[in-house]
Amino acid sequence: MVASKILCLLALLGLAGAAAAESAFLLARRDLSTLLIKEGESLTITVEVHNAGDGEATNVKVSDAEWDAHLFETTGDISATFDSIAPGVTKTYSFSVVPSVTLNRFEQPEMTISYDTNGQSISAKGPVEHIKVHSKDELLRQKLLLAGAWLTLGTIRDEETWIKAIVGGAGAVVVYVLYGMVRGGTATLQSAKRKRVLKELGVKDE
């Protein structure tokens, strides 16, 4: 009797496992066209939806929440629907946003996905992701710092080090100029003294 119960339980678990194996499992992610997001330049966002399960997903709906119109200009549909997505298949759609301001840390709108599979309705929300919108001046500064690091073999990597190097270099130039002026002045005085002595001795300076 105990054995029968165990077999029945195993059979039920087997049926449940078989049903689960035939279910769809959708994964969605955003792919940004660049990680160096610039103020005033278009950013293309591609949403990929992949069926990692063994069953078909139907009535698939994927959408972003509205991007703040005060911060971004949006072009294209931020949501998409698919009649079905077979196992192992990836569907995509894209839209573009143009940041109108510089943002140090912006939380992207929440992405949601819903679909039907194996007689069930599934709904999920994506993780919170953040982006940074750079100003053009900031990106130019970063490029100059990278160039400086390359030219100095990694000695100069940040603005503070650059400032110290410039100040130190300017100081060295000033010291060199002053040294040249002093040296030139000393030579002039010595020449004038020599001429005076030779004149007093009645010797012609050649």
Side-chain angles (χ1 to χ4, degrees):
M1 185 68 176
V2 175
S4 297
K5 287 184 178 180
I6 295 175
L7 288 174
C8 289
L9 181 60
L10 290 174
L12 289 173
L13 289 174
L15 289 173
E22 295 173 356
S23 297
F25 182 67
L26 297 188
L27 302 174
R29 74 180 187 95
R30 289 190 184 101
D31 184 23
L32 307 183
S33 57
T34 179
L35 295 179
L36 284 177
I37 304 169
K38 302 178 186 178
E39 175 189 357
E41 294 192 9
S42 179
L43 171 69
T44 300
I45 300 175
T46 301
V47 178
E48 299 180 353
V49 185
H50 177 73
N51 187 351
D54 297 322
E56 184 179 46
T58 58
N59 193 28
V60 180
K61 298 178 181 179
V62 187
S63 64
D64 266 15
E66 291 289 338
W67 290 65
D68 193 331
H70 295 93
L71 305 177
F72 296 89
E73 179 184 345
T74 306
T75 304
D77 294 329
I78 62 174
S79 61
T81 59
F82 305 100
D83 294 334
S84 64
I85 301 179
V89 173
T90 300
K91 299 282 188 177
T92 64
Y93 72 95
S94 300
F95 60 94
S96 298
V97 296
V98 179
S100 56
V101 296
T102 300
L103 298 169
N104 187 50
R105 182 178 172 87
F106 174 74
E107 183 177 305
Q108 294 184 64
E110 194 172 51
M111 182 170 59
T112 59
I113 182 171
S114 63
Y115 58 96
D116 298 331
T117 181
N118 198 24
Q120 295 181 331
S121 294
I122 308 295
S123 180
K125 295 182 179 181
V128 174
E129 298 175 307
H130 297 87
I131 60 174
K132 179 176 181 178
V133 179
H134 302 266
S135 67
K136 294 181 179 180
D137 291 340
E138 182 182 2
L139 289 177
L140 176 60
R141 187 164 59 249
Q142 289 181 1
K143 290 180 179 179
L144 291 175
L145 288 175
L146 288 174
W150 183 80
L151 290 172
T152 61
L153 301 178
T155 303
I156 301 177
R157 293 179 176 272
D158 52 43
E159 293 181 31
E160 183 179 355
T161 310
W162 263 115
I163 292 173
K164 289 180 179 179
I166 292 172
V167 171
V173 170
V174 171
V175 170
Y176 179 77
V177 171
L178 290 175
Y179 172 74
M181 292 174 64
V182 171
R183 186 177 180 183
T186 301
T188 301
L189 289 175
Q190 290 177 345
S191 178
K193 184 177 180 181
R194 178 174 177 274
K195 288 182 179 180
R196 187 172 64 254
V197 171
L198 292 175
K199 186 177 180 180
E200 291 176 352
L201 296 174
V203 178
K204 186 177 180 181
D205 187 13
E206 297 181 357

